[in-house]
Amino acid sequence: MERSQEIKTFTPSTVGLLLCIAIGAGVALYRMIHGLGHPVTGLNDVYPWGFWLGFDVLGGVAMAAGGFIIACAVYIFNWKKYRPITRPAILTAFLGYLMAVVAIFFDIGHPFRLYHPGIMWQYGSVMWIVAMHVMFYTTTLAIESSPMLFEKLRWERARVLVDKILVGAVIFGVMLSTLHQASLGAVFLIAPPRMSPLWYTQFIPYLFLISAVAMGLAMVSAEAYLSSKAFHHEVDPEIFYGLARGMAVTLAIYLGCKLYFLFTNAGLAAAFDGSLAANMYLLEMGIGVILPLALLAVPAVRRSARRIFTVNIIVISGILLNRINVCVISMEGYTIPRGGSYLPSVLELLMSLGIVCLGVFLFKMAAKHLPLFAHAEH
């Protein structure tokens, strides 16, 4: 494994990340000065939720699901095989939630009121439930990630204290994360007249949770593969094979649920009527579910880390498309006849790119300055 001291800070890729972060910061400053209207975003009164929410928040939180899955596997079920990727998985989840919070800050009309749910409790609001889950689980992920920092600073007493409560924190985090992934889907239960029946169902919270598990497994596997290449440390191939098997089972369950709700809600004909919603639904299902399952059914794919990585990217892309479809495309049939339209602005895309690059840069800095792969070395 490449030692942390040998990881170079300024490489062409890092300079590219910093450039994208700087552009994103400039867009963020422009948004704070000029608000959420044009040209900062394409959002309007008919489309108050757009690309930032669908990609950065719903997608980012789903990608972070790998943290609670691997933590549960290692600390609760004692599956030691996955211990080498525990810290990177938890850190990826922590950064994913932090980036989602950054996106929410700029996406709401009054950013400096972001703390209000913490002091103005609204028990009957699903939005309040989502906000509290984000606050609690981000704090829990900080606790789960803290041993790396304490080891670096040689704060042995603090590290021992965290080790004593770590299993309890993981159990609490698993509970929070499963509830949170589902509650993000529950947000859309308030809008049945607006959503296409291709996506709307009273069981959408469960679909969000199942798809988040598949995406979390794909994200952990992809991160492990990329970090092994970038930082030159070995990852047991059995880890990739195990994650691929779990992802295949989860996708099969998800496909069964999606087909059941398609037949019982919208009907099969609705998916082939040639509308924008139908085409995007088919694209989502093809990329995010059917193609990965077909590839994972091939033994040569399941036994190759490089090919599994390709499948991971396909799954991540497909679930991200699902979140954007739910947030934006599913509303088209309701809003367009009423004169509404939405197209993400260039500035929206640039700021999202900046947020993603910030997460990647922080992960690299953690790999350089913290014992991120200490479990892998042992």
Side-chain angles (χ1 to χ4, degrees), residues 133-145:
H133 282 165
V134 171
M135 292 181 189
F136 286 133
Y137 190 53
T138 304
T139 304
T140 304
L141 287 171
I143 294 172
E144 293 176 10
S145 301

Side-chain angles (χ1 to χ4, degrees), residues 51-67:
F51 185 79
W52 283 347
L53 188 75
F55 179 84
D56 298 349
V57 180
L58 300 183
V61 169
M63 283 190 284

Side-chain angles (χ1 to χ4, degrees), residues 28 80-81 123 130 168 219 298 370:
K80 297 180 180 179
K81 178 173 72 173
Y123 303 101
V130 169
M219 189 66 191
V298 180
L370 298 175

Side-chain angles (χ1 to χ4, degrees), residues 12-26 350 353-354 357 361:
S13 59
T14 306
V15 172
L17 290 174
L18 292 173
L19 179 61
C20 291
I21 293 170
I23 294 173
L350 288 176
L353 177 62
C357 290
F361 176 76

Side-chain angles (χ1 to χ4, degrees), residues 33-355:
I33 295 173
H34 296 280
L36 286 171
H38 183 78
V40 178
T41 73
L43 300 174
N44 50 64
D45 290 341
V46 180
Y47 273 101
W49 292 352
F51 185 79
W52 283 347
L53 188 75
F55 179 84
D56 298 349
V57 180
L58 300 183
V61 169
M63 283 190 284
F68 88 85
I69 297 170
I70 299 302
C72 178
V74 173
Y75 292 110
I76 299 178
F77 294 108
N78 199 29
W79 293 351
K80 297 180 180 179
K81 178 173 72 173
Y82 299 104
R83 184 174 176 82
I85 63 170
T86 304
R87 286 186 171 182
I90 292 174
L91 178 63
T92 300
F94 183 40
L95 293 176
Y97 268 81
L98 288 179
M99 298 306 101
V101 171
V102 171
I104 293 172
F105 178 82
F106 292 106
D107 189 54
I108 61 178
H110 293 278
F112 295 107
R113 298 180 184 176
L114 189 64
Y115 68 92
H116 277 199
I119 61 174
M120 301 178 182
W121 289 26
Q122 302 292 330
Y123 303 101
S125 169
V126 69
M127 295 289 287
W128 177 79
I129 294 173
V130 169
M132 297 306 292
H133 282 165
V134 171
M135 292 181 189
F136 286 133
Y137 190 53
T138 304
T139 304
T140 304
L141 287 171
I143 294 172
E144 293 176 10
S145 301
S146 64
M148 293 186 294
L149 179 61
F150 295 150
E151 287 179 20
K152 176 67 175 180
L153 298 176
R154 298 183 180 179
W155 293 358
E156 188 62 20
R157 294 179 64 181
R159 187 192 64 79
V160 171
L161 176 61
V162 172
D163 283 345
K164 291 180 179 179
I165 66 171
L166 193 55
V167 173
V170 168
I171 293 173
F172 185 58
V174 170
M175 178 187 69
L176 282 173
S177 191
T178 52
L179 290 173
H180 178 45
Q181 298 290 350
S183 64
L184 284 173
V187 168
F188 294 92
L189 292 176
I190 64 177
R194 292 175 174 267
M195 291 183 65
S196 165
L198 289 169
W199 288 280
Y200 181 81
T201 167
Q202 62 179 329
F203 295 100
I204 192 172
Y206 301 102
L207 294 177
F208 261 57
L209 175 59
I210 297 169
S211 58
V213 170
M215 191 175 189
L217 291 170
M219 189 66 191
V220 169
S221 181
E223 175 273 316
Y225 182 84
L226 288 175
S227 64
S228 69
K229 299 300 182 183
F231 305 127
H232 307 290
H233 70 93
E234 295 294 329
V235 177
D236 185 355
E238 286 297 326
I239 292 177
F240 297 115
Y241 307 154
L243 293 173
R245 287 193 294 270
M247 184 168 59
V249 171
T250 307
L251 287 175
I253 295 172
Y254 183 61
L255 175 61
C257 293
K258 291 285 283 187
L259 290 177
Y260 173 79
F261 292 124
L262 173 63
F263 283 107
T264 56
N265 288 347
L268 183 63
F272 295 93
D273 64 8
S275 65
L276 174 63
N279 292 337
M280 293 299 290
Y281 178 85
L282 293 175
L283 182 63
E284 165 199 321
M285 293 296 294
I287 294 177
V289 186
I290 297 174
L291 178 58
L293 279 174
L295 291 173
L296 291 173
V298 180
V301 174
R302 294 197 307 271
R303 304 301 297 179
S304 167
R306 181 176 58 83
R307 291 168 181 165
I308 290 173
F309 172 73
T310 302
V311 176
N312 293 333
I313 298 303
I314 294 172
V315 172
I316 292 170
S317 302
I319 304 301
L320 281 174
L321 181 59
N322 167 260
R323 298 306 192 253
I324 294 174
N325 280 346
V326 169
C327 189
V328 179
I329 303 299
S330 70
M331 313 283 183
E332 292 280 321
Y334 177 88
T335 56
I336 289 180
R338 291 164 174 80
S341 64
Y342 168 75
L343 186 67
S345 71
V346 174
L347 297 185
E348 279 182 88
L349 301 178
L350 288 176
M351 198 169 94
S352 295
L353 177 62
I355 291 174

